[in-house]
């Protein structure tokens, strides 16, 4: 039951990426329009990869997906806009025909355009025109996401400021929340493995387009390029730090453990902003299988999350304690599937609280039920959690 207007709902900050929060994002909308989604911009696979290579841009696919998950479906022309942003150009076609499809969008001849709200149609045409003008002559449009192309066009029109482009598109789509990349730096992820080797690139650890590494992941860090293993530092913006430090609740949610959740904690300043926030901070571990979390119990995943957050992205040893960056771990020990185990006593030994409640339903299994989790997080917002 929603007991207050969502316009005045709590500011819940999520460090996430990918599609793991799609259901939860939708479930939050009746409770709050003030959730803040800080997304990892370091993905190196899918349709974002050729855009990153061509434009030196951050990954935009997760930003587009989260925008659609939080958009107001009652907005005029929403179905047409959602269909256009989710549309992909055909793999089996000629380069000329794929380019012609983009020109049809800019000219208003694409079938979705007449069904869009006027302001959305105008933005679609202008952003696609900007993309076409900036597109390298040899850019391969096969399988390209139209929504991703529009975001790149919006980025070009916004002076290469992705946060501004996302804010404008969020307003057009009636997005009920705030979406930002945690940083706008064109960087990649390097994963140090338990066998002493290093793998560079998020796409090389997901198992979607490349075989999984033979060894488990020990650590993740930022690097400048896919062919350069040297660690790279980047500072979070003052605006993002303010979102974090002023939150009513901070949530490290389910999702790819290293490439989505921990990756967001790597920029300098993130950990300090988390520690400065007086609100409750909770970790919601994955239920089911996460290939990045191979062999990690919930307790060990918690320990590694705390270690990364306390390091604050500056490479210096921290004098902080786990309770500075985390208060509680949320689990469903009765129904939830945790392949490497829970070890909740070890979680408590870190000085943290365990919130153990039925969150997996028959409909949601093996995942957590979005409605139940949304209700819990809203209740925890503004709370002071007793630890241990």
């Amino acid at each position: 039951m929603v007991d207050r207007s969502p316009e005045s709902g709590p500011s819940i900050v999520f460090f996430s990426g990918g599609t793991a929060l799609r259901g939860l994002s939708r479930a939050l909308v009746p409770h709050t329009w003030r959730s803040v989604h800080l997304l990892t911009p370091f993905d190196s696979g899918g349709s974002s990869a050729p855009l990153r290579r061509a434009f030196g841009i951050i990954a935009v696919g997760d930003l587009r997906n989260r925008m659609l998950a939080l958009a107001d479906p009652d907005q005029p022309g929403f179905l047409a806009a959602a269909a256009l942003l989710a549309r992909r150009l055909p793999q089996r076609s000629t380069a000329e025909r794929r380019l012609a499809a983009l020109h049809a969008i800019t000219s208003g001849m694409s079938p979705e355009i007449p069904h869009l709200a006027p302001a959305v149609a105008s933005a679609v045409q202008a952003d696609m025109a900007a993309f076409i003008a900036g597109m390298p002559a040899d850019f391969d449009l096969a399988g390209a996401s139209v929504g991703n192309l529009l975001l790149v066009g919006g980025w070009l029109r916004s002076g290469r400021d992705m946060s501004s482009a996302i804010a404008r598109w969020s307003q057009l789509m009636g997005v009920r929340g705030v979406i930002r990349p945690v940083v706008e730096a064109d960087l990649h992820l390097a994963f140090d493995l338990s066998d002493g080797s290093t793998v560079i690139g998020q796409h090389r650890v997901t198992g979607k387009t490349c075989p999984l590494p033979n060894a488990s992941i020990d650590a993740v860090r930022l690097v400048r390029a896919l062919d350069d293993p040297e660690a790279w530092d980047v500072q979070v913006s003052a605006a993002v730090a303010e979102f974090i430090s002023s939150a009513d609740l901070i949530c490290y949610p389910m999702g790819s453990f290293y490439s989505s959740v921990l990756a967001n904690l790597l920029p300098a300043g993130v950990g300090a902003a988390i520690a400065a926030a007086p609100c409750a901070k909770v970790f919601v571990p994955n239920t089911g299988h996460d290939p990045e979390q191979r062999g990690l119990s919930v307790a060990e995943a918690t320990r590694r999350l705390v270690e990364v957050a306390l390091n604050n992205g500056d490479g210096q040893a921290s004098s902080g304690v786990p309770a500075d960056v985390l208060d509680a771990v949320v689990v469903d020990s009765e129904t939830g599937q945790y392949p490497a185990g829970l070890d909740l006593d070890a979680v408590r030994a870190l000085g943290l609280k365990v919130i153990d409640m039925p969150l997996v339903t028959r409909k949601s299994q093996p995942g957590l039920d979005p409605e139940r989790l949304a209700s819990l997080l809203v209740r925890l917002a503004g709370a002071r959690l007793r630890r241990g």
Side-chain angles (χ1 to χ4, degrees):
M1 183 174 114
V2 180
D3 55 7
R4 59 177 161 180
S5 169
E7 294 97 325
S8 58
S11 171
I12 304 176
V13 168
F14 295 94
F15 295 105
S16 69
T19 59
L21 256 66
R22 183 183 295 162
L24 177 61
S25 297
R26 291 172 178 158
L28 279 168
V29 170
H31 298 276
T32 181
W33 293 354
R34 299 178 61 237
S35 61
V36 178
H37 302 253
L38 301 178
L39 273 68
T40 173
F42 311 121
D43 285 5
S44 53
S47 59
S48 287
L51 290 170
R52 296 198 65 184
R53 289 192 297 268
F55 290 89
I57 194 175
I58 62 173
V60 296
D62 289 343
L63 296 166
R64 170 183 55 84
N65 277 324
R66 193 60 53 84
M67 184 171 67
L68 286 172
L70 289 166
D72 180 4
D74 296 325
Q75 287 271 105
F78 171 79
L79 290 178
L84 183 64
L85 267 64
R87 176 179 160 193
R88 289 188 179 273
L89 300 180
Q91 289 277 3
R92 296 184 178 181
S93 183
T94 65
E96 291 75 16
R97 287 185 176 179
R98 287 190 285 264
L99 184 57
L102 301 191
H103 282 295
I105 292 172
T106 64
S107 66
M109 299 302 292
S110 190
E112 301 94 344
I113 301 297
H115 303 286
L116 300 175
V120 176
S122 177
V124 162
Q125 292 174 268
D127 284 356
M128 187 57 77
F131 174 81
I132 293 171
M135 179 180 66
D138 59 350
F139 186 79
D140 186 1
L141 290 166
S145 160
V146 170
N148 288 359
L149 305 186
L150 289 171
L151 283 180
V152 174
W155 171 75
L156 291 168
R157 290 181 63 214
S158 300
R160 299 181 178 242
D161 182 339
M162 183 55 71
S163 292
S164 293
I166 286 290
R168 181 167 59 86
W169 268 102
S170 293
Q171 183 177 24
L172 289 168
M173 296 293 291
V175 167
R176 304 311 191 190
V178 176
I179 302 167
R180 293 288 186 275
V182 69
V183 292
E184 296 197 27
D186 178 22
L187 300 173
H188 287 278
L189 299 174
F191 303 87
D192 297 323
L193 306 183
S194 58
D195 63 2
S197 64
T198 296
V199 171
I200 302 179
Q202 166 267 348
H203 66 288
R204 296 193 173 109
V205 299
T206 63
K208 294 178 182 178
T209 58
C210 297
L212 287 172
N214 292 324
S216 59
I217 301 172
D218 274 350
V220 61
R221 52 195 167 84
L222 294 174
V223 296
R224 186 68 184 88
L226 289 172
D227 58 357
D228 184 355
E230 183 179 356
W232 198 266
D233 297 329
V234 64
Q235 178 76 36
V236 74
S237 71
V240 168
E242 176 62 21
F243 279 130
I244 298 168
S245 61
S246 63
D248 296 314
L249 180 75
I250 291 172
C251 180
Y252 311 95
M254 56 278 187
S256 298
F257 182 66
Y258 284 98
S259 64
S260 287
V261 182
L262 295 198
N264 274 307
L265 310 181
L266 297 177
V270 171
I274 294 170
C279 66
K281 301 140 193 178
V282 298
F283 174 35
V284 184
N286 290 310
T287 55
H289 176 65
D290 172 20
E292 296 182 15
Q293 209 169 329
R294 189 185 342 172
L296 289 187
S297 67
V298 165
E300 180 59 18
T302 301
R303 188 191 67 77
R304 294 190 184 190
L305 184 152
V306 165
E307 182 180 69
V308 173
L310 285 175
N311 278 342
N312 192 39
D314 55 15
Q316 302 297 315
S318 171
S319 60
V321 296
D324 290 339
V325 292
L326 184 61
D327 290 282
V329 178
V330 176
V331 299
D332 179 347
S333 65
E334 194 69 31
T335 311
Q337 299 175 22
Y338 301 94
L342 288 164
D343 196 2
L344 297 180
D345 286 341
V347 172
R348 295 185 181 98
L350 293 171
L352 307 176
K353 180 180 177 63
V354 173
I355 300 174
D356 191 352
M357 59 187 299
L359 292 170
V360 178
T361 61
R362 185 184 299 273
K363 181 179 179 182
S364 71
Q365 62 183 350
L368 304 181
D369 182 272
E371 303 288 343
R372 291 189 181 187
L373 182 56
S375 295
L376 171 64
L377 295 178
V378 170
R379 291 199 304 272
L380 292 176
R384 296 292 180 266
L385 300 178
R386 172 184 279 180
R387 303 181 183 100

